[in-house]
Amino acid sequence: MMGQHARQNELWSEPVNLARRIPADHPLRKLRETIKLDFVREEVASSYGRKGNVSVDPVIVMKMMLLLFWDNVRSERELMRIIPLRIDYLWFLGYSLEDEIPNHSVLSKARRRWGAEVFARLFRQSVAQCLEAGLIEGSKLHTDSSLVRANASLNSVVAVTLAKLEESAEEEPTKRGGGGGGPVNQRRRVATDPDSTLVRQRSSGKSYPSYKSHRALDDKAGVITALQTTNGIRDDGAQLSSLLEQHWENTAHKPRAVVADCKYGTSANFIALASQGIRSHMGDLRSRLRNHQQKDIYPAERFQYDEGHDTYKCPAGRLLYRHHFNGHRGYYDYRTRPGVCGRCRLAAHCTRSKAGRSLNRYPGHHLLERARRQSHGAAARRDRQRRQWLQERNFAEATTQHGFKRARWRGLAQQTIQDQLIATLQNLKILLRRAGLGYFTLLKLLRTCLTRLAAT
């Protein structure tokens, strides 16, 4: 049976008022005035029965989870231990000095019982509050991802049996960039947290069980407007459409430009954005994939496309015809007639393949070319420079202040909840900072105006 806490006021009002010991500018005082948790009881009511023991108030439980990440408390046990010692915590939760602090297991049971939707709604509400405060402009959207170390040690990594390999191959065929896992994750799995995957860390060179947090930030104030949690090997570019759709739903704004690094600059993403009228200020993945075999070789731009005959003309005047459609990669392959390239005087500058030169053309190729031109423009380069510090600052704050880089719990669903709680707190902190900044900026402007009037 769901309980509702009866707030104790005797210690927070006259004649004994411990609330006076909490400074007026205390962050938790501002947070309590800003955050809206009334929806929690309604959202989770269906997960409680009508009879039995009375539960801890769901609003109190949600506040405890927020406190866990607000001050990056080491564990839930530690949080319950320090709550009675902190007047600000007791005041924030609405507890008196005599109230019994619940067992730490209340939090884990609540997460399992409630599910992820209540936390997703809490995150969407923080976005809505920032939108209402004018902190989301909506014209530019920055996207990036960061690895999160799973709550599992390397000792829990075990070999996958042959039967498991055959079963996983039947259920989910490996796709390029789609999370197939590569050789390591096909041979190994994490026994204590199977949802995580092994990812090689640049700093140590070792592979660790990991998740990946994908974020979309609005350009104006860095508010997180979209969030996606996946396993550690999921391709960044494959999450762009999901982030864009979530941003659209949460803000009702369609961005005019998407800013990202080259991991997102795939042909499919370029075409998808261009078809929606969104400018591509992403890095071009193709420019990073060129290798030594392509050195001194004519680029695709040297070949002229004839739309009427659906052919390409090479620098030597030979024609390349449509050969077949690559369904896996989603483009048409164009080639010369057999033996033509072998007899060409420019073959050494055109191809090193014995089969001759080939070109790829996607459906909607004109959109791809336009998007690539946008990605190499001066405005795109400036936006990517801004994205670099905007995203890094966001992830750095999450790491140093809220324990972002280490998973507290196990499983993809639990990791999603952690990312949503941290993102919610970061959005609310932006809201609190910008609200104060607006006041002082207005005060400074007023003083400047008065000084100028006095001078005249």
Side-chain angles (χ1 to χ4, degrees), residues 45-59:
S46 59
S47 60
Y48 291 87
R50 296 183 178 274
K51 298 180 180 180
N53 296 328
V54 178
S55 73
V56 180
D57 189 339
V59 173

Side-chain angles (χ1 to χ4, degrees), residues 185-205:
N185 286 284
Q186 291 176 8
R187 300 193 308 266
R188 300 283 189 271
R189 70 180 182 90
V190 185
T192 55
D193 191 357
D195 290 344
S196 64
T197 50
L198 293 169
V199 180
R200 186 178 299 277
Q201 305 291 325
R202 293 181 181 179
S203 57
S204 63

Side-chain angles (χ1 to χ4, degrees), residues 67-334:
L67 284 177
L68 190 66
F69 293 99
W70 178 264
D71 285 331
N72 191 20
V73 181
R74 181 175 56 185
S75 67
E76 295 170 355
R77 292 175 184 268
E78 179 72 9
L79 176 66
M80 298 306 180
R81 189 187 70 81
I82 66 177
I83 284 177
L85 308 177
R86 295 277 300 263
I87 294 179
D88 54 345
Y89 279 13
L90 291 172
W91 176 84
F92 180 73
L93 297 171
Y95 278 148
S96 72
L97 295 178
E98 301 300 325
D99 279 334
E100 182 180 355
I101 306 302
N103 188 271
H104 68 90
S105 62
V106 167
L107 302 185
S108 58
K109 291 177 182 177
R111 288 194 304 273
R112 288 195 299 268
R113 177 177 294 177
W114 294 355
E117 180 54 32
V118 64
F119 301 95
R121 183 172 172 181
L122 180 66
F123 168 69
R124 292 194 298 267
Q125 182 175 273
S126 71
V127 177
Q129 288 181 261
C130 292
L131 182 64
E132 185 180 355
L135 298 178
I136 297 176
E137 195 268 337
S139 63
K140 291 179 184 177
L141 189 67
H142 302 262
T143 63
D144 202 359
S145 68
S146 183
L147 289 173
V148 178
R149 186 78 64 85
N151 186 10
S153 70
L154 288 177
N155 294 330
S156 65
V157 179
V158 297
V160 179
T161 62
L162 181 61
K164 276 285 185 182
L165 279 174
E166 295 175 352
E167 180 182 345
S168 61
E170 292 177 0
E171 291 179 355
E172 185 178 357
T174 300
K175 297 181 180 179
R176 182 180 181 271
V184 174
N185 286 284
Q186 291 176 8
R187 300 193 308 266
R188 300 283 189 271
R189 70 180 182 90
V190 185
T192 55
D193 191 357
D195 290 344
S196 64
T197 50
L198 293 169
V199 180
R200 186 178 299 277
Q201 305 291 325
R202 293 181 181 179
S203 57
S204 63
K206 295 182 179 180
S207 296
Y208 291 97
S210 304
Y211 288 99
K212 187 180 286 188
S213 178
H214 309 261
R215 290 183 170 188
L217 274 63
D218 183 74
D219 180 76
K220 184 174 183 179
V223 174
I224 306 168
T225 59
L227 189 67
Q228 188 77 20
T229 305
T230 65
N231 60 41
I233 57 173
R234 187 66 64 178
D235 180 48
D236 291 357
Q239 309 305 313
L240 181 61
S241 59
S242 175
L243 291 173
L244 188 61
E245 181 180 357
Q246 190 182 149
H247 167 81
W248 208 333
E249 292 177 355
N250 292 345
T251 66
H253 281 78
K254 176 183 176 181
R256 293 196 296 270
V258 170
V259 188
D261 58 24
C262 64
K263 292 181 292 185
Y264 296 84
T266 62
S267 300
N269 284 340
F270 279 138
I271 295 173
L273 292 181
S275 63
Q276 299 177 63
I278 302 174
R279 293 182 61 84
S280 296
H281 288 187
M282 305 179 295
D284 188 358
L285 181 61
R286 184 182 64 173
S287 63
R288 297 294 184 93
L289 295 180
R290 292 178 179 172
N291 51 40
H292 66 280
Q293 293 183 351
Q294 295 175 316
K295 187 177 180 181
D296 299 327
I297 296 296
Y298 292 142
E301 290 77 9
R302 293 287 302 273
F303 293 73
Q304 299 177 0
Y305 179 69
D306 185 346
E307 188 174 358
H309 296 87
D310 192 22
T311 58
Y312 278 96
K313 180 182 289 187
C314 73
R318 304 291 193 271
L319 296 180
L320 286 78
Y321 302 90
R322 182 185 292 187
H323 186 269
H324 69 280
F325 180 74
N326 190 321
H328 179 61
R329 300 180 184 269
Y331 58 69
Y332 292 99
D333 187 81
Y334 289 75

